[in-house]
Amino acid sequence: MYEGAVQDLIDELGRLPGVGPKSAQRIAFHLLSAESTDVGRLVSALTRVQEEVRFCVTCYNVAEGEQCRICRDPRRSDEVLCVVEEPKDVVAIERTREFRGRYHVLGGAISPIDGVGPDDLRVKELMTRLMNGAVTELIIATDPNLEGEATAAYLARLVSPMGLAVSRLASGLPVGGDLEYADEVTLGRAFEGRRRIDA
Ligand SMILES: [Zn+2]
């Protein structure tokens, strides 16, 4: 263990997802020996992200401003809404160029083990959008794992009285995986072959 500032840095880095204690230590010592201009750029990127990036008031994607780029785009369809877990999933689906509707970012998935229920996600906000909006088709693009499936089943049941067309991405996605790790072709195909859910 190290003293003061160095240990604080290692501890903070170690709290990042995917960074174990060894990596945290390696990154910390890299930063200690890096040029001060490089470190300055990193610090300024972190500060800017905190100060400037917010969540879109409509879909909860990341946005610089009130609304994200996708919600502001008048050429996109208001009739098809795609529900995803995280902003990174929006990026993954956008890469496929298969989708021209709008998004709704839940902020996670239902996971009883982690104590995450529907009230911890932006489900109420989704329902408000569906009730006020022009949406006729809902595509549920949660991750193809246990939590994602549970969330999809829950949402399909919840919206079934609304008479929307509800679909889930087709199989072919790696089961147990994360949407963002699927390649564009696989994800694009899963999108095209989405199946209607009858809850
Ligand atoms: Zn938005």
Side-chain angles (χ1 to χ4, degrees):
M1 295 304 153
Y2 301 90
E3 271 178 59
V6 177
Q7 189 59 46
D8 287 349
L9 179 59
I10 293 172
D11 291 344
E12 289 306 318
L13 290 169
R15 288 166 59 181
L16 299 174
V19 180
K22 271 197 182 147
S23 304
Q25 195 171 315
R26 203 171 61 232
I27 297 167
F29 281 101
H30 169 79
L31 292 171
L32 279 177
S33 61
E35 295 283 337
S36 66
T37 46
D38 291 347
V39 177
R41 269 205 308 277
L42 176 62
V43 169
S44 112
L46 290 171
T47 312
R48 280 191 54 211
V49 134
Q50 262 223 314
E51 287 171 357
E52 295 170 25
V53 180
R54 293 180 273 174
F55 290 109
C56 171
V57 294
T58 307
C59 76
Y60 303 93
N61 188 12
V62 285
E64 292 198 18
E66 283 267 291
Q67 272 194 317
C68 74
R69 183 177 53 79
I70 294 165
C71 289
R72 284 199 315 262
D73 187 346
R75 289 163 305 177
R76 299 187 72 119
S77 165
D78 289 317
E79 292 181 8
V80 194
L81 190 66
C82 179
V83 178
V84 295
E85 293 180 19
E86 305 286 352
K88 62 186 165 57
D89 302 323
V90 172
V91 176
I93 292 170
E94 284 300 287
R95 266 202 314 256
T96 70
R97 300 173 182 276
E98 285 287 336
F99 183 61
R100 298 299 298 158
R102 312 277 183 187
Y103 291 94
H104 187 85
V105 181
L106 290 171
I110 295 172
S111 172
I113 295 172
D114 301 314
V116 182
D119 291 344
D120 302 306
L121 307 172
R122 296 180 193 109
V123 172
K124 228 182 297 141
E125 292 84 345
L126 171 66
M127 295 308 278
T128 308
R129 278 182 87 181
L130 293 178
M131 274 184 282
N132 299 340
V135 178
T136 58
E137 186 185 354
L138 189 69
I139 300 169
I140 304 175
T142 47
D143 286 343
N145 55 27
L146 219 61
E147 293 80 14
E149 294 301 336
T151 309
Y154 173 83
L155 291 178
R157 251 195 331 271
L158 192 66
V159 304
S160 72
M162 302 178 101
L164 305 168
V166 181
S167 53
R168 178 94 177 98
L169 294 197
S171 51
L173 293 174
V175 173
D178 207 330
L179 213 62
E180 62 166 325
Y181 299 131
D183 65 276
E184 282 119 85
V185 177
T186 308
L187 188 54
R189 274 201 206 116
F191 224 91
E192 251 182 307
R194 62 183 176 270
R195 278 178 322 220
R196 187 76 182 262
I197 301 178
D198 295 303

